[in-house]
Amino acid sequence: MEFHEKGGVKHILIELAEHIPYTIFGVIIGLISMGILTFIVTAIGREELLPEASYDLFHIFHPIHLLLSSTVTTAMFWKHERKIVKAFVIGFIGSVAICGISDIGIPFLSGTLLGVRMRLHICVIEHPQIILPFVILGIAVSYFVPNIVEKSTQYSHGAHVLVSSMASILYLLSFGFTHWIHHIGSVFIIAVVAVMLPCCVSDIVFPLCFTKKLDKLF
């Protein structure tokens, strides 16, 4: 994901459009995976295990999502401005806050608006020992291998989208939206929105807003 010197806003819109297929594919894979999990627990007559299984899986996919996001966000900033502390802050906030909106905020609000009694679970507050090692490692990787990160953005973004899709869907299932199959259309839309906008903001717009390239966005 490379930001061009001219036509910043136009480029961001192009990036958003180009990422729609990635997002839809990632969400479809996520829905299929969760459909299989739902089928298994239903087939063995243990539907009550679905929230617990989803909860455990969420705490795998959410930290991995933060790892990928902190790596790309920090690398994007580091490419334009080599300030270690500032890059750390940008990478930390850009991953924890924006991915928190993607994996937690949008699913929570969407489920609530659909009439589901959702439980708010902010992982970085309740389980910092799970989250922080992934975020810090992602930032560190961006300092030492920025060129590798930049060259692998297509692959990393594909992984980013898939992991984010899984995390968003797993949050829905873990914290209230147990009977999700009856609302699969709504879940699909929620996951697409939860993945595409925050991920692109985190990877492109957010880090560049704090560099000298800010004027190129307009």
Side-chain angles (χ1 to χ4, degrees):
M1 212 182 302
E2 185 178 356
F3 182 82
H4 298 295
E5 293 295 321
K6 295 182 179 180
V9 171
K10 182 179 179 180
H11 176 66
I12 290 169
L13 294 175
I14 292 172
E15 288 283 356
L16 287 171
E18 290 180 349
H19 292 155
I20 290 175
Y22 284 103
T23 302
I24 292 175
F25 178 76
V27 172
I28 288 172
I29 295 298
L31 290 174
I32 291 172
S33 301
M34 296 317 302
I36 293 172
L37 176 62
T38 303
F39 172 79
I40 292 172
V41 298
T42 302
I44 63 175
R46 299 295 301 274
E47 293 91 342
E48 72 277 5
L49 293 179
L50 183 60
E52 182 179 347
S54 300
Y55 179 88
D56 290 339
L57 287 171
F58 173 78
H59 287 95
I60 295 174
F61 281 93
H62 182 53
I64 294 174
H65 182 198
L66 290 169
L67 169 67
L68 294 171
S69 179
S70 62
T71 301
V72 177
T73 301
T74 308
M76 178 63 76
F77 178 85
W78 190 250
K79 175 183 175 182
H80 297 292
E81 195 170 328
R82 297 295 179 99
K83 295 182 179 179
I84 294 177
V85 175
K86 188 175 179 181
F88 180 90
V89 173
I90 297 301
F92 188 90
I93 295 175
S95 57
V96 173
I98 297 178
C99 289
I101 293 172
S102 175
D103 294 355
I104 299 169
I106 293 177
F108 173 80
L109 290 175
S110 299
T112 301
L113 290 173
L114 289 171
V116 178
R117 188 172 182 178
M118 301 291 294
R119 181 165 73 88
L120 182 61
H121 174 82
I122 302 177
C123 206
V124 70
I125 295 176
E126 298 191 36
H127 307 294
Q129 75 281 4
I130 295 177
I131 299 302
L132 295 182
F134 286 86
V135 176
I136 292 171
L137 179 60
I139 293 172
V141 167
S142 301
Y143 287 146
F144 296 108
V145 286
N147 292 330
I148 295 175
V149 172
E150 182 181 347
K151 291 177 181 178
S152 64
T153 48
Q154 277 192 326
Y155 301 103
S156 65
H157 186 70
H160 187 172
V161 167
L162 178 58
V163 171
S164 178
S165 302
M166 290 295 298
S168 301
I169 296 169
L170 285 164
Y171 186 90
L172 284 169
L173 273 64
S174 302
F175 300 103
F177 216 146
T178 308
H179 302 291
W180 68 282
I181 292 181
H182 301 293
H183 304 276
I184 190 169
S186 299
V187 173
F188 176 73
I189 298 299
I190 291 168
V192 168
V193 173
V195 170
M196 191 170 69
L197 294 180
C199 282
C200 290
V201 169
S202 173
D203 290 356
I204 306 173
V205 181
F206 182 79
L208 290 176
C209 281
F210 296 91
T211 71
K212 296 176 182 179
K213 300 293 180 182
L214 177 60
D215 60 316
K216 303 296 183 182
L217 288 168
F218 304 100

